[in-house]
Amino acid sequence: MCEQGREGHQVHPPSPTACPHVSWTPTGWGPLRSLGPFHCCFLSPPSLPGSSVTQLLARDLDNDPLVFGVVGEEASRFFAVESVTGVVWLRQPLDRETKSEFTVEFSVSDSQGVIKGTVNIQVGDVNDNAPRFHNQPYSVRIPENTPVGTPIFIVNATDPDQGAGGSVLYSFQPPSSFFAIDSGRGIVSVIRELDYEVTQAYQLQVNATDQDKNKPLSTLANLAITITDVQDMDPIFINLPYSTNIYENSPPGTTVRMITAVDQDKGRPRGIGYTIVSGNTNSIFALDYISGALTLNGPLDRENPFYSAGFILTVKGTELNDDRTPSNATVTTTFNILVIDVNDNAPEFNSSEYSVAIPELAQVGFALPLFIQVQDKDEVTGYRWRRGPSRPLLLGS
Ligand SMILES: [Ca+2]
Ligand SMILES: [Ca+2]
Ligand SMILES: [Ca+2]
Ligand SMILES: [Ca+2]
């Protein structure tokens, strides 16, 4: 509301824009016998320099010509008054957020004296500031097993404007399916399970907007969220399936094959220890714990009935802790090994010597009571315990 001045010197609501922020208090009385009302317009930034602010009105009963002026250095920087008409001009832009109030002393004089009056000018607000984020840049590291609902970060933006124009709301732009932001408080929290093995980092944009009804202003800020790995994955064997052939005459120490398992936790994968769980008859194979090299550990013999059908090894990869002790994270697979025959057995007679008694009157064609058999254990020769001809030997001529 416009205030009532003393001694009948009123401050009227200016037309057409009423000003509730102006008061006018005469500070002294000069030779003027009467002073008309001053009035002032409501000042809304960004009022441009050169724009008319108000007009001072004074009345002199003598009808002397009056001269208006503005008093004081600071007031003169912002305001100028046209000496004859009393029109007050703005000399530079106003900013409520810098200076929200002026106490300006104006003067009016006739040929005999001067009186001064003080006008309190309050600068009205407009929404001319966008919210401003503090303490940027925004980045945070969280482990992948951070539970849903956990608050992980808080952003802060302020807006110096008054009322709705200074009230800030936060949102993600575009929205995230893994993180939410509390619109009023700026608290960022997890809303969906994270998985380092799928996504290692998120780049989000936080929008801070004021609540001005006509022309809300907003600002964007980046939020970098880095996901750190935790041990939540077992190892896997690679280059499967494992199966190989080995010649039975391969010397001990021969590398059968390398086996390799890798930790599926990629952030800081653990080393693997390799062992044979089962199928290693007579410890005929050795598996290097560190390198995964499977080697022949002794002489093979395909004709050994324990070996002839080959081997089905069960091998295991175990993730190792930092102190190289085995962890609970393991993987197993089977390793088929077929033993390949080589011709390493000579055919054998069924007896090292044969003896037979022949009657001295025996004729040509006489069948000797002698049965000779030949055996060959090797597969490659096409015989396997194949019996030779067991016909009786005939006496030749
Ligand atoms: Ca403002
Ligand atoms: Ca604002
Ligand atoms: Ca792991
Ligand atoms: Ca992991």
Side-chain angles (χ1 to χ4, degrees):
M1 294 296 294
C2 290
E3 294 179 31
Q4 194 82 12
R6 286 188 310 173
E7 306 289 343
H9 298 275
Q10 291 179 318
V11 178
H12 288 295
S15 295
T17 52
C19 170
H21 297 303
V22 174
S23 62
W24 154 243
T25 306
T27 56
W29 293 100
L32 298 179
R33 293 166 61 182
S34 179
L35 191 67
F38 280 22
H39 71 210
C40 178
C41 293
F42 180 68
L43 302 183
S44 288
S47 300
L48 295 175
S51 60
S52 166
V53 171
T54 186
Q55 184 171 18
L56 305 172
L57 296 177
R59 182 157 44 96
D60 180 31
L61 292 182
D62 301 328
N63 283 326
D64 288 335
L66 300 177
V67 176
F68 296 95
V70 59
V71 181
E73 197 181 320
E74 194 203 19
S76 301
R77 279 209 309 276
F78 283 93
F79 302 101
V81 62
E82 209 168 75
S83 60
V84 177
T85 62
V87 171
V88 178
W89 304 90
L90 194 61
R91 299 185 79 143
Q92 59 172 282
L94 298 174
D95 179 18
R96 188 201 67 85
E97 282 74 52
T98 307
K99 190 165 173 63
S100 62
E101 194 174 357
F102 292 88
T103 302
V104 183
E105 198 172 29
F106 293 106
S107 66
V108 60
S109 56
D110 64 3
S111 57
Q112 298 178 60
V114 59
I115 65 167
K116 294 174 180 175
T118 301
V119 173
N120 185 293
I121 300 173
Q122 291 183 9
V123 181
D125 188 38
V126 295
N127 185 33
D128 57 353
N129 291 280
R132 224 182 97 227
F133 283 101
H134 303 286
N135 304 319
Q136 291 194 82
Y138 294 146
S139 67
V140 62
R141 294 169 69 86
I142 55 168
E144 62 176 322
N145 61 349
T146 304
V148 168
T150 306
I152 57 164
F153 198 74
I154 183 162
V155 300
N156 179 30
T158 55
D159 186 322
D161 293 318
Q162 284 183 320
S167 161
V168 178
L169 287 186
Y170 304 96
S171 60
F172 282 133
Q173 204 177 66
S176 164
S177 47
F178 289 90
F179 302 95
I181 186 165
D182 180 283
S183 64
R185 294 178 296 170
I187 298 172
V188 178
S189 54
V190 179
I191 57 170
R192 196 164 139 189
E193 268 188 24
L194 304 168
D195 186 355
Y196 174 89
E197 280 69 39
V198 176
T199 307
Q200 288 90 45
Y202 295 85
Q203 281 288 346
L204 304 178
Q205 259 195 337
V206 185
N207 179 49
T209 182
D210 65 38
Q211 298 303 291
D212 187 77
K213 282 192 183 62
N214 302 318
K215 194 184 156 209
L217 300 174
S218 59
T219 309
L220 294 174
N222 289 318
L223 170 60
I225 300 175
T226 304
I227 310 300
T228 58
D229 193 19
V230 299
Q231 276 294 340
D232 58 357
M233 301 287 286
D234 284 338
I236 50 166
F237 278 109
I238 59 173
N239 301 324
L240 291 171
Y242 292 149
S243 76
T244 195
N245 299 336
I246 183 168
Y247 285 100
E248 60 172 324
N249 62 347
S250 303
T254 301
T255 299
V256 179
R257 164 157 200 183
M258 303 292 295
I259 66 170
T260 307
V262 292
D263 185 357
Q264 295 184 90
D265 291 304
K266 299 286 178 239
R268 213 170 131 256
R270 298 194 284 203
I272 308 288
Y274 300 94
T275 49
I276 300 172
V277 178
S278 65
N280 192 14
T281 308
N282 293 336
S283 298
I284 194 71
F285 297 103
L287 180 58
D288 189 275
Y289 187 66
I290 299 301
S291 72
L294 185 74
T295 52
L296 197 57
N297 198 35
L300 265 181
D301 180 9
R302 194 200 62 82
E303 286 72 40
N304 181 330
F306 288 115
Y307 303 160
S308 55
F311 301 85
I312 301 175
L313 302 182
T314 300
V315 291
K316 181 162 87 168
T318 303
E319 288 185 17
L320 303 179
N321 296 314
D322 287 344
D323 61 2
R324 309 306 284 172
T325 56
S327 73
N328 296 329
T330 63
V331 61
T332 57
T333 189
T334 54
F335 193 155
N336 295 311
I337 300 170
L338 210 60
V339 180
I340 305 296
D341 189 27
V342 296
N343 186 14
D344 57 354
N345 289 280
E348 291 172 3
F349 287 98
N350 60 339
S351 177
S352 58
E353 60 183 53
Y354 300 90
S355 64
V356 64
I358 303 174
E360 68 182 312
L361 294 178
Q363 301 289 305
V364 170
F366 175 78
L368 299 178
L370 184 63
F371 294 91
I372 299 172
Q373 289 181 320
V374 178
Q375 303 167 335
D376 189 330
K377 297 174 182 171
D378 294 317
E379 195 172 53
V380 285
T381 51
Y383 298 99
R384 188 175 189 288
W385 290 95
R386 177 95 169 256
R387 290 178 185 276
S390 58
R391 293 188 302 255
L393 208 57
L394 302 180
L395 193 61
S397 57

